[in-house]
Amino acid sequence: MTGDIRETKECQLKDPMDLFHSGQVVKICAPMVRYSKLAFRTLVRKYSCDLCYTPMIVAADFVRSAKARDSEFTTNKVGDHPLIVQFAAKEAQVLCDAARIVCPFADGIDLNCGCPQRWAISEGYGACLINKPELVKDMVRHVRSQIDNPKFSVSIKIRIHEDLKRTVDLCQKAEAAGVSWITVHGRSIEERHQPVHYDAIKIIKQSMSIPVVANGDIKTLKDAENVHHLTEADGIMVARGLLANPAVFAGYEETPLQCIQDWVDIALEHGTPFTCFHHHLMYMMERITSKQEKKVFNVLSSTSAVLDYLNDHYGV
């Protein structure tokens, strides 16, 4: 964690649940490995994103290592709220310890029960937790009982089972344990690029009295509105759609030049490493550059080369 957030008194923490009670669909930036870091969160918040997640952090490493804490979690006092820190965990006390560390700097934590990657599942993290409802319930209950701040949210992000009754059972157990809301990625562990089961999200939503967030294949604001109507979800979480167009929640069909300019300014101000800075631009400019332009832009190897290119071609 960076030094500028050590003084907790001035941290402008918010109650994320206020967003769900606003009557508006909550627009959310998904946890994305390497990408949903402070600089990018700062950018999407400028373009109508209501709530942001950190990339997934392994709770055990975070608790054990100051180095992991410094490299994995950076925020600031004023603009980066409301903020949810997403953890991979499989033991209740470890998750509680991690939650206690971030509690003064963030507005809630999320337990990852949806990551389908092989390494995560083999370690007992991520999507395998949807088959351990009692453990999920126990982890939620522990955090709820050990964090004093009643406004600090505890949420989970899940995938669905082939047998949806099992997913509804998991969600109801989590709700009974005090979970704040549940984000549902509408695919099973095995499914990658198959169509999202929005009908399943609707069934889960109708089975719960807490907010439900829909996630999966949302690329435009129109998609977000359609998914809201199909699922009745209280929030919409977007991942790759925001990478391709950080202004998607503000209604832009493709990344506006002003957004590219904002990214350059924010990234330089935050000291974003070149590879991350460049990759974000490659995603953002995917739809607005020709094949020939991509061939040139994607192999640039320094910040100054990128800045010169943007200035020469786009006046940015």
Side-chain angles (χ1 to χ4, degrees):
M1 292 181 295
T2 53
D4 65 335
I5 59 165
R6 296 280 181 210
E7 269 182 67
T8 61
K9 285 178 193 141
E10 295 169 48
C11 243
Q12 294 186 3
L13 299 181
K14 297 179 179 174
D15 183 350
M17 290 306 292
D18 289 347
L19 291 171
F20 290 105
H21 297 145
S22 69
Q24 303 292 313
V25 179
V26 184
K27 301 186 283 295
I28 305 170
C29 173
M32 290 180 276
V33 174
R34 292 186 302 282
Y35 293 122
S36 61
K37 295 198 165 186
L38 176 59
F40 187 69
R41 298 194 302 263
T42 304
L43 179 68
V44 296
R45 289 183 196 277
K46 278 180 83 97
Y47 290 92
S48 304
C49 185
D50 300 315
L51 180 64
C52 292
Y53 282 54
T54 67
M56 181 182 79
I57 299 167
V58 176
D61 297 342
F62 190 78
V63 169
R64 192 170 50 236
S65 157
K67 190 178 174 192
R69 291 195 287 280
D70 287 339
S71 68
E72 298 286 339
F73 180 55
T74 310
T75 186
N76 58 31
K77 285 177 185 166
V78 184
D80 194 28
H81 295 283
L83 175 66
I84 305 302
V85 182
Q86 191 188 61
F87 286 113
K90 56 185 175 183
E91 295 162 277
Q93 195 51 54
V94 173
L95 182 61
C96 286
D97 293 343
R100 205 178 286 113
I101 292 167
V102 299
C103 184
F105 312 111
D107 304 279
I109 62 144
D110 184 84
L111 174 63
N112 184 313
C113 305
C115 178
Q117 290 184 29
R118 221 175 269 134
W119 75 265
I121 289 173
S122 69
E123 294 276 342
Y125 299 135
C128 69
L129 290 175
I130 65 171
N131 298 318
K132 300 176 182 177
E134 293 300 330
L135 176 56
V136 171
K137 184 174 152 185
D138 190 42
M139 287 199 273
V140 169
R141 188 178 283 149
H142 262 75
V143 178
R144 268 272 163 264
S145 65
Q146 290 190 30
I147 298 291
D148 293 334
N149 178 1
K151 291 181 175 179
F152 191 78
S153 66
V154 183
S155 55
I156 63 173
K157 183 171 186 283
I158 66 168
R159 282 185 171 240
I160 59 173
H161 299 83
E162 300 289 346
D163 175 4
L164 202 59
K165 287 204 271 307
R166 295 180 65 198
T167 317
V168 170
D169 175 64
L170 165 72
C171 292
Q172 289 175 339
K173 283 189 162 86
E175 180 175 10
V179 85
S180 307
W181 69 84
I182 296 176
T183 300
V184 184
H185 181 88
R187 291 186 176 99
S188 68
I189 296 175
E190 289 75 29
E191 292 174 319
R192 289 295 187 277
H193 303 294
Q194 291 89 332
V196 176
H197 303 284
Y198 296 120
D199 53 334
I201 300 177
K202 182 176 183 174
I203 290 165
I204 293 164
K205 168 63 191 163
Q206 291 172 337
S207 313
M208 314 295 295
S209 55
I210 54 168
V212 169
V213 172
N215 171 235
D217 277 4
I218 299 157
K219 302 284 197 309
T220 65
L221 193 58
K222 190 102 191 79
D223 289 346
E225 287 161 1
N226 289 342
V227 170
H228 169 62
H229 291 304
L230 285 170
T231 62
E232 299 169 9
D234 305 273
I236 299 292
M237 178 182 280
V238 178
R240 281 177 307 214
L242 272 171
L243 283 182
N245 176 9
V248 71
F249 284 139
Y252 291 91
E253 291 293 314
E254 55 190 29
T255 311
L257 285 181
Q258 183 57 52
C259 183
I260 291 171
Q261 178 68 67
D262 288 337
W263 171 244
V264 169
D265 294 343
I266 290 165
L268 294 180
E269 186 189 329
H270 284 84
T272 301
F274 172 73
T275 305
C276 180
F277 169 64
H278 190 210
H279 279 185
H280 273 295
L281 286 168
M282 282 155 64
Y283 279 117
M284 287 180 209
M285 294 166 64
E286 174 77 24
R287 290 183 211 158
I288 58 174
T289 49
S290 66
K291 235 182 199 159
Q292 202 47 49
E293 286 174 314
K294 285 186 187 68
K295 271 185 184 164
V296 176
F297 184 78
N298 293 1
V299 297
L300 296 176
S301 58
S302 71
T303 300
S304 56
V306 167
L307 296 178
D308 287 346
Y309 183 96
L310 292 174
N311 189 35
D312 294 346
H313 289 75
Y314 299 101
V316 168

